[in-house]
Amino acid sequence: MATKRSEIKTELKKALKSGEIVPYFQPMVGIRTGLLVGFEVLARWLHPQRGTIHPDVFIPVAEQADLIGELTETILLQAFAATTALKRDLNISVNVSPIQLRDSSLSEEIARAAAMASFPLHRLTIEITESALVDNLELAATIAGKLKQLGVKLALDDFGTGYSSLRNLQALPFDELKVDRTFVSSMIQSRDSRKIVAAVIGLGQSLKLTTVAEGIENETQADILRWLGCDVGQGWIYGPPVAARDLSKIIDAPMSTSTHTLHDSPASDLITCIEPLPSQRLAQLQAIYDGAPVGLAFVDADLRYVSVNQRLASLNGISVEDHLGRRLSDVMPPTIYKKVEPYLQRALKGEAITGLELTRPVMPESPEPVTLLVSHQPARDEGGEVIGVSVAIVDISERMRVIEALRASEEHYRHMVEFNPHMPWIMEPNGNVIEVSPHWEEFTGQTSEQTLGMGWKNAVHPEDLNRLLPTLLASLQSGDPFDLEYRIRTKDNHWRWMRTRGNPRRNESGEILLWYGSTEDIEETMHLKQKLHETEAKLEALLKDKAFGMTSRETS
């Protein structure tokens, strides 16, 4: 064994100089979206005689031979160059040796390698195993602090396999929490593994850490992780580690993602065995979100979209995937965000906000202003702490347009009735009046209750009623318009002549729905007619007298 290690050590020195140590890239995918977010970089030794040698064989030798720093630098330089050439904002994740967390110059070495390849360090995640933190946590914290100052993110790898995980999580400024592959691979068969995975994801969410699951091999595992709220996954389901030359193929190829319903998945029976952690409850609500006609979203305490349904995405004019992980301020129009941000902050303090009405400005996909009714409900964990805000949005634009049109119509009608000398009315096909102008009461003294139905007859002169009713009934039966003249008793107990005209309104089949008409005061017109008749009678009599006189003179 010693001889073999010695041989590997000798060959490893040569391999580092000859370029046999190369990075391989394993895809890391957003579990909820199925989108490629980056790669984990894994070292491979392409030995000319032995073939591909995996890191678990040569990394221990490199650590023992004090070659780990040179090896890491070699891998980083190649990884930075390969991903920079892709011209895509993809992240890379690299695991450093526990020995390197004792080297105070680690941050300078990483910065130097990134500068040589013009790689932005905010896209780099350094993975730290728990075993690296056992010997000197204080020194590790110092080195981690320097890395954070560079913009590098930190991930705690193999979480749950060590003995001091919670202490480590508290001591170092981690950004990501990785669920160890041993729990992921066994969670279908083991209820305990499922509970551990759920607990780790729930812990990561509570600490506002991105959760990454390793070793995902099938859709059932992906389903469980997705419904538990895990953020990122990697494993053979998304693709094996590939050489730098194959990166473009990975980017162009569609990723596998579980988009079918959990009910149709083998995971449906497994998920019910997990205690209802906050992450699970949030995941279960996703099915309701997706089918709701109301725009729904869950935003975290940093006002980032965690979950969005299709309706809300449509209201915002971008896809669901383009919401996730982004701040509301980056998605919403500035004028709208400025209005809602105070309410969101109040919700994060525990206040429920309902009935907030907002008008969104005109957008290219919406040429008319959109009126939204918004509510913000604080979401709490089991301890009562607010962990985010549930947002519900209803597009009430059409309703507001109808209300405004109705208001305008009512205003128009009110003015029309107020200034119109006629008294409009509506009558059913059987002759019952169902609506009458307020002027009728002012004119006759009859209230609307006394007038509706057939009560209007009580104001009609008895002589005219006997003449009016047969004509009205004949029109109701034939559907022909009617035009009636009659006298009614006024509120000061006088009789005045009125004229009523009515026309039917029919449906598409010709059936009469209602009769519409109006009644007007024609007293002055009738007086004029009477005077005209009297004048005509006098003129006729005068002409007759004149004609008679002329005849008499002729006879004499």
Side-chain angles (χ1 to χ4, degrees):
M1 183 68 178
T3 303
K4 187 175 182 180
R5 279 182 177 274
S6 177
E7 291 176 359
I8 293 176
K9 177 180 175 180
T10 301
E11 292 185 27
L12 183 58
K13 289 181 180 180
K14 296 178 182 178
L16 286 170
K17 297 187 182 303
S18 62
E20 295 175 14
I21 307 298
V22 298
Y24 267 52
F25 301 82
Q26 183 167 38
M28 301 180 72
V29 174
I31 290 181
R32 288 188 294 270
T33 65
L35 299 177
L36 181 70
V37 298
F39 299 93
E40 180 174 2
V41 178
L42 306 169
R44 294 289 186 268
W45 183 356
L46 304 183
H47 196 284
Q49 283 81 39
R50 303 180 189 180
T52 301
I53 302 176
H54 285 257
D56 55 349
V57 174
F58 62 85
I59 290 295
V61 176
E63 291 174 337
Q64 187 182 39
D66 199 23
L67 295 173
I68 192 64
E70 183 181 352
L71 188 150
T72 300
E73 185 177 12
T74 298
I75 292 296
L76 282 176
L77 283 170
Q78 295 180 73
F80 288 158
T83 50
T84 301
L86 295 173
K87 301 187 183 302
R88 287 276 302 272
D89 291 336
L90 295 170
N91 301 320
I92 63 172
S93 184
V94 179
N95 201 312
V96 299
S97 166
I99 294 176
Q100 292 174 284
L101 281 184
R102 305 171 198 161
D103 182 1
S104 59
S105 64
L106 176 63
S107 59
E108 288 84 354
E109 293 171 0
I110 290 176
R112 185 170 56 252
M116 292 176 65
S118 299
F119 183 85
L121 283 174
H122 69 272
R123 287 165 46 192
L124 173 64
T125 298
I126 293 295
E127 297 185 13
I128 300 172
T129 59
E130 289 188 283
S131 60
L133 307 175
V134 173
D135 294 337
N136 194 334
L137 184 58
E138 185 175 341
L139 177 59
T142 300
I143 296 173
K146 291 182 179 180
L147 292 171
K148 292 290 289 184
Q149 289 176 359
L150 294 175
V152 175
K153 293 187 285 292
L154 300 180
L156 182 56
D157 195 14
D158 298 336
F159 180 76
T161 59
Y163 66 90
S164 58
S165 300
L166 296 179
R167 177 169 174 256
N168 294 337
L169 272 176
Q170 188 179 35
L172 272 69
F174 287 107
D175 302 282
E176 297 180 3
L177 186 60
K178 300 197 74 171
V179 186
D180 188 70
R181 66 179 64 249
T182 57
F183 302 122
V184 173
S185 62
S186 62
M187 66 180 180
I188 296 177
Q189 298 80 18
S190 170
R191 183 172 183 270
D192 287 342
S193 291
R194 291 195 295 274
K195 293 171 67 175
I196 290 173
V197 171
V200 172
I201 294 172
L203 179 61
Q205 290 180 338
S206 298
L207 296 175
K208 300 178 184 177
L209 303 178
T210 299
T211 52
V212 182
E214 300 178 301
I216 306 174
E217 298 177 354
N218 54 58
E219 293 285 358
T220 302
Q221 292 170 345
D223 275 340
I224 295 175
L225 292 164
R226 178 167 60 95
W227 284 84
L228 286 174
C230 187
D231 299 306
V232 178
Q234 60 184 101
W236 283 81
I237 187 176
Y238 303 116
V242 298
R245 63 178 179 273
D246 295 322
L247 282 176
S248 58
K249 297 178 183 178
I250 296 294
I251 292 175
D252 295 336
M255 289 293 162
S256 173
T257 179
S258 301
T259 56
H260 55 268
T261 62
L262 187 64
H263 177 73
D264 298 328
S265 166
S268 59
D269 294 331
L270 301 174
I271 202 76
T272 57
C273 300
I274 304 173
E275 277 69 12
L277 293 167
S279 57
Q280 181 192 353
R281 288 201 299 269
L282 177 62
Q284 290 170 341
L285 286 174
Q286 189 68 49
I288 301 174
Y289 284 2
D290 291 340
V294 176
L296 297 171
F298 183 85
V299 299
D300 63 17
D302 293 327
L303 299 184
R304 294 181 184 272
Y305 286 106
V306 175
S307 179
V308 175
N309 76 343
Q310 184 58 52
R311 178 58 180 155
L312 186 136
S314 299
L315 288 173
N316 285 341
I318 60 176
S319 68
V320 171
E321 291 77 13
D322 286 337
H323 283 79
L324 300 180
R326 296 177 65 187
R327 293 184 181 276
L328 273 67
S329 58
D330 296 332
V331 174
M332 301 172 66
T335 54
I336 295 295
Y337 181 76
K338 185 177 180 180
K339 292 179 181 178
V340 303
E341 196 267 343
Y343 295 99
L344 288 164
Q345 294 296 343
R346 285 164 56 183
L348 286 173
K349 293 178 181 178
E351 180 182 353
I353 309 293
T354 59
L356 177 61
E357 190 174 307
L358 299 170
T359 300
R360 192 185 69 190
V362 173
M363 300 174 67
E365 65 274 9
S366 178
E368 295 184 3
V370 175
T371 304
L372 304 172
L373 192 64
V374 184
S375 71
H376 301 120
Q377 295 288 338
R380 304 175 186 272
D381 61 15
E382 283 89 342
E385 181 180 352
V386 177
I387 58 173
V389 179
S390 175
V391 181
I393 301 178
V394 182
D395 184 350
I396 59 171
S397 304
E398 185 62 31
R399 186 170 72 185
M400 295 303 293
R401 283 193 286 268
V402 170
I403 291 174
E404 185 60 33
L406 180 60
R407 184 183 296 115
S409 177
E410 289 176 345
E411 187 73 8
H412 176 73
Y413 177 76
R414 185 178 66 81
H415 286 297
M416 183 183 69
V417 170
E418 183 176 346
F419 298 110
N420 192 343
H422 293 189
M423 292 175 275
W425 49 261
I426 302 174
M427 186 170 61
E428 293 178 328
N430 60 7
N432 287 329
V433 173
I434 59 174
E435 193 170 330
V436 68
S437 167
H439 285 331
W440 179 268
E441 181 176 351
E442 297 173 7
F443 202 82
T444 65
Q446 276 189 330
T447 65
S448 60
E449 290 79 9
Q450 293 171 332
T451 304
L452 298 181
M454 301 295 288
W456 56 272
K457 295 191 301 181
N458 297 325
V460 180
H461 194 288
E463 294 179 2
D464 297 336
L465 186 62
N466 294 332
R467 172 178 52 81
L468 175 152
L469 282 178
T471 304
L472 176 62
L473 292 175
S475 291
L476 294 178
Q477 291 177 359
S478 65
D480 295 330
F482 58 82
D483 188 342
L484 306 171
E485 295 180 351
Y486 55 93
R487 290 165 290 176
I488 63 170
R489 188 191 303 275
T490 63
K491 62 181 179 181
D492 55 3
N493 208 28
H494 290 97
W495 295 102
R496 291 186 70 86
W497 280 95
M498 310 297 289
R499 183 184 184 185
T500 293
R501 286 173 286 187
N503 286 278
R505 180 185 176 186
R506 303 174 185 272
N507 59 17
E508 295 179 356
S509 62
E511 181 184 3
I512 296 177
L513 300 175
L514 291 169
W515 287 80
Y516 291 86
S518 64
T519 300
E520 60 180 310
D521 181 2
I522 60 169
E523 180 69 19
E524 298 300 326
T525 302
M526 295 302 285
H527 278 304
L528 290 175
K529 284 184 178 180
Q530 183 64 32
K531 288 181 180 179
L532 180 61
H533 287 318
E534 291 175 357
T535 301
E536 288 175 346
K538 289 179 181 180
L539 180 60
E540 185 178 356
L542 181 62
L543 291 173
K544 285 182 179 180
D545 289 342
K546 185 176 180 180
F548 178 76
M550 292 176 63
T551 304
S552 298
R553 285 195 298 272
E554 291 174 359
T555 304
S556 61

